Amino acid sequence: MNRSPWALYTAMAFGYAFLYVPIVSLIVYSFNKSRLVTVWGGFSTEWYARLFNNEQILSAAWRSFLIASGSATLAVVIGTAAGLALARFGRFPGRGLLSLMSSAPLVMPEVMLGLSALLLFVSMQQLIGWPTRGMSTITMAHVTFTACYVTVVVRSRLTMMDDSLEEAAMDLGARPWKVFFLITLPLIAPALLAGWLLAFTLSLDDLVVASFTSGPGASTLPMLIYSKVKLGVTPEINALATLVVLLVMVLVSIAGILLHRQQKQRKRA
């Protein structure tokens, strides 16, 4: 059955418009002079100036980036270890439990994750006096579900990778830790970068789990935005969202350029 190219282009245009027109309108209205986000009052950068002078938003943004960076780094360490064990060590006692634990948070509702983390932290604080709910508890809660995504990415990369180089290095007398750091780690570096970016994005975007595990004075940026949106969207929030979109575009572009260069180097080699 022959399909008209115009029909395909039209469907594609509607699909992209559905996804990106709201983002474009958000960026446009961040330069709105009027306080009403639905009424255009002229071009102005006033809301960006107010945003950079708002200590509450700036501190929440910095806190969110710290939590996302820390949880993503820990998730990469834990997820790499779990993915390596599942992909390279064959059958061992507890393999089924490890596989279940590394996949359960992927399908579990965030409300369940947040509630279970809250009950755990409250029980631990009553028993040993630690941890106090704040940035540390949010980071630990984010690690529990972001590490699962890293495990999936690293495990799939190791499964598709030929292990003959590792076996040859061990046959020549290299110790397992040296094989891992000099051969395995460079080969799975793109997967580690992808896992880190995925974990960072999930942590930065999370609202539900952070709401359960945060404490006084430890509100993240999504929590602050949600509390402000309930009172009405302002161009100041639009300006903040525009900066976040711009930052994500820059990070994705840098990651794409690095991966493209690495693919070119592989083809030349």
Side-chain angles (χ1 to χ4, degrees):
M1 178 179 179
N2 294 327
R3 295 183 180 180
S4 172
W6 292 106
L8 295 177
Y9 290 145
T10 302
M12 184 176 64
F14 274 109
Y16 279 114
F18 179 79
L19 291 174
Y20 292 107
V21 166
I23 298 177
V24 173
S25 64
L26 180 146
I27 295 174
V28 170
Y29 277 99
S30 67
F31 297 98
N32 187 11
K33 188 175 182 180
S34 173
R35 187 175 181 84
L36 300 175
V37 294
T38 57
V39 178
W40 181 256
F43 182 86
S44 175
T45 58
E46 173 189 358
W47 302 106
Y48 286 91
R50 291 193 181 188
L51 175 64
F52 286 111
N53 290 325
N54 193 322
E55 292 294 333
Q56 184 184 19
I57 293 180
L58 293 179
S59 61
W62 178 246
R63 190 179 301 115
S64 294
F65 278 104
L66 288 178
I67 293 172
S69 300
S71 61
T73 303
L74 292 174
V76 166
V77 175
I78 297 173
T80 302
L84 187 66
L86 293 172
R88 285 289 187 267
F89 290 94
R91 295 188 177 276
F92 56 88
R95 176 187 172 87
L97 180 61
L98 177 61
S99 180
L100 176 63
M101 292 176 61
S102 62
S103 60
L106 298 176
V107 295
M108 190 177 297
E110 289 188 351
V111 175
M112 298 294 295
L113 291 174
L115 181 58
S116 60
L118 173 62
L119 295 177
L120 174 64
F121 294 146
V122 170
S123 301
M124 290 177 62
Q125 189 175 21
Q126 292 177 349
L127 292 175
I128 60 176
W130 181 87
T132 302
R133 278 186 292 166
M135 289 181 59
S136 59
T137 53
I138 298 175
T139 302
M140 287 187 287
H142 284 181
V143 170
T144 57
F145 71 89
T146 55
C148 301
Y149 291 89
V150 179
T151 302
V152 172
V153 175
V154 173
R155 183 182 179 183
S156 61
R157 172 61 177 167
L158 288 170
T159 302
M160 293 185 297
M161 189 178 71
D162 186 9
D163 57 353
S164 59
L165 293 176
E166 298 169 322
E167 294 176 353
M170 287 188 287
D171 289 339
L172 293 173
R175 295 183 178 274
W177 64 267
K178 193 171 184 179
V179 173
F180 174 75
F181 283 105
L182 296 182
I183 297 177
T184 308
L185 200 60
L187 290 175
I188 65 173
L192 297 181
L193 177 60
W196 192 92
L197 290 174
L198 180 59
F200 180 86
T201 304
L202 291 170
S203 176
L204 189 65
D205 182 64
D206 176 70
L207 171 65
V208 178
V209 177
S211 300
F212 277 98
T213 56
S214 65
S219 296
T220 61
L221 188 60
M223 295 171 60
L224 181 64
I225 292 176
Y226 180 71
S227 63
K228 287 183 174 295
V229 166
K230 288 192 296 184
L231 302 177
V233 180
T234 63
E236 190 175 3
I237 299 299
N238 290 346
L240 175 62
T242 301
L243 294 178
V244 173
V245 170
L246 180 62
L247 178 62
V248 171
M249 291 175 60
V250 171
L251 292 176
V252 171
S253 300
I254 293 174
I257 292 172
L258 293 176
L259 291 176
H260 183 66
R261 288 181 178 178
Q262 190 174 23
Q263 289 176 356
K264 278 189 175 181
Q265 291 176 356
R266 287 182 180 178
K267 290 181 179 179
R268 290 176 183 176

